[in-house]
Amino acid sequence: MAAVTAAQATATAGETIATDGAALPLIEDPAAVTPKDARELSRRFLGRLAVLEEGTHEHQYVRNTLIEMNLSLVRYASSRFRTRGDSVEDVVQVGTIGLIKAIDRFEVSREVEFTTFAVPYIVGEIKRFFRDTSWAVHVPRRLQEARVELAKATDELRSRLGRTPTTRELSELMSLSEEEVIEARKAANCYQSASLDAALTSESDSGDTVLADRLGEEDPSLELVDDFNSLAPLIASLDERDRRIIHMRFVEELTQAQIAARLDVSQMHVSRLISRIIKRLRKGLLEPGVA
């Protein structure tokens, strides 16, 4: 199918959703829009999505069009995991969930390119999928996470001490009991992994290639961990209603309309409340000691 440019989409499809003097093109086949033009059109569609009321026909059209136009981002991110052995379609479907979350959470006021914002969501969702499905034997999430921390602590102490660390040394660094460290070690045996030095061969490869050469870049979203830890006390300082609103919006992922129905207030009032709460949290992060 031939790609559709932004100009063609506007010229051939006509205009729709003409409110406040602004209009968007009616794109009959968003998936055929080229990645370059999808970026330009996404700016316009995201700006419109921010002011449309959730649940309306216009909101649904703009949101669905954004998803289909940006599926190339999902395919690009998914290609980094092509050596994992899972179905490409499964990985793309999982990545699409990340794309949808990015669209729903994007704020035009941030002045950040949508692609820059969306890729960590897509990659994060795919990595979560592999983390949850790559275990030979199912173990609790607590132990899955402990295995990762154990590996990091072991590498750090081995580098520092020049030898394999003891269970007691690991427990002190990880702030866990020795029993919990032993439990994490047992859980690690349930995970099937390949050596980073394992040779990869294919007809297209020239020379020796190892698994480490195929790994992706560092995930920039890991830098958000510190922000999450800093947010915890700020959220705890909110009153009960504000905490409930934050939980419904960002944990239960309810729409503003659904939150309004639960609180028996207008959607506009919910929008103002969320903006006020986020502004307070942002100020607390940027200006420590100011709540």
Side-chain angles (χ1 to χ4, degrees), residues 163-197:
R163 58 174 172 79
T164 301
T166 65
T167 300
R168 175 174 296 181
E169 289 167 339
L170 287 167
S171 70
E172 291 175 355
L173 180 61
M174 298 173 66
S175 298
L176 296 175
S177 68
E178 293 187 29
E179 290 74 15
E180 289 172 316
V181 172
I182 294 172
E183 191 177 21
R185 279 177 167 167
K186 290 180 179 178
N189 293 330
C190 299
Y191 189 81
Q192 183 179 3
S193 59
S195 169
L196 293 178
D197 296 322

Side-chain angles (χ1 to χ4, degrees), residues 32 54 59 115 121 125 134 150 160 179 209 219 222 240 290:
E54 295 183 32
H59 184 276
T115 52
Y121 274 92
E125 203 67 34
S134 296
L150 175 63
R160 187 192 307 171
E179 290 74 15
T209 303
D219 187 351
L222 290 177
E240 184 178 353
V290 179

Side-chain angles (χ1 to χ4, degrees), residues 50 124 147 205 248 252:
R147 181 194 70 85
D205 285 334
M248 288 189 290
E252 297 182 42

Side-chain angles (χ1 to χ4, degrees), residues 14-230:
E15 303 290 335
T16 186
I17 319 177
T19 57
D20 297 330
L24 294 177
L26 177 61
I27 305 176
E28 295 183 0
D29 188 4
V33 176
T34 64
K36 178 180 178 180
D37 291 314
R39 178 176 300 184
E40 175 188 339
L41 288 167
S42 290
R43 293 194 190 100
R44 298 171 59 186
F45 275 71
L46 286 163
R48 175 60 55 208
L49 187 69
V51 299
L52 288 173
E53 183 178 354
E54 295 183 32
T56 63
H57 172 74
E58 291 82 2
H59 184 276
Q60 183 179 7
Y61 164 72
V62 172
R63 185 170 180 266
N64 289 345
T65 301
L66 278 166
I67 294 170
E68 294 185 52
M69 277 198 305
N70 288 283
L71 285 177
S72 58
L73 275 180
V74 179
R75 289 190 289 271
Y76 166 75
S78 300
S79 67
R80 295 167 51 181
F81 301 89
R82 61 184 179 275
T83 60
R84 294 297 295 262
D86 291 76
S87 164
V88 174
E89 283 303 314
D90 288 343
V91 177
V92 169
Q93 287 182 19
V94 171
T96 302
I97 296 174
L99 171 64
I100 293 171
K101 288 182 178 181
I103 290 172
D104 290 341
R105 297 174 182 177
F106 184 76
E107 295 180 15
V108 179
S109 59
R110 291 184 177 183
E111 298 183 353
V112 175
E113 279 286 347
F114 176 69
T115 52
T116 302
F117 180 82
V119 169
Y121 274 92
I122 297 169
V123 173
E125 203 67 34
I126 294 173
K127 286 185 175 180
R128 189 177 298 110
F129 165 75
F130 283 123
R131 182 186 64 194
D132 291 343
T133 59
S134 296
W135 290 78
V137 177
H138 177 73
V139 299
R141 175 66 58 82
R142 171 180 62 84
L143 292 179
Q144 294 183 28
E145 295 173 351
R147 181 194 70 85
V148 176
E149 295 305 316
L150 175 63
K152 292 179 181 177
T154 301
D155 288 342
E156 180 180 338
L157 287 176
R158 183 181 288 119
S159 175
R160 187 192 307 171
L161 302 173
R163 58 174 172 79
T164 301
T166 65
T167 300
R168 175 174 296 181
E169 289 167 339
L170 287 167
S171 70
E172 291 175 355
L173 180 61
M174 298 173 66
S175 298
L176 296 175
S177 68
E178 293 187 29
E179 290 74 15
E180 289 172 316
V181 172
I182 294 172
E183 191 177 21
R185 279 177 167 167
K186 290 180 179 178
N189 293 330
C190 299
Y191 189 81
Q192 183 179 3
S193 59
S195 169
L196 293 178
D197 296 322
L200 299 176
T201 58
S202 68
E203 294 181 359
S204 59
D205 285 334
S206 56
D208 295 331
T209 303
V210 297
L211 181 58
D213 296 334
R214 295 290 183 86
L215 294 179
E217 302 173 353
E218 276 190 25
D219 187 351
S221 61
L222 290 177
E223 298 175 3
L224 297 177
V225 172
D226 288 339
D227 290 342
F228 292 153
N229 290 332
S230 300

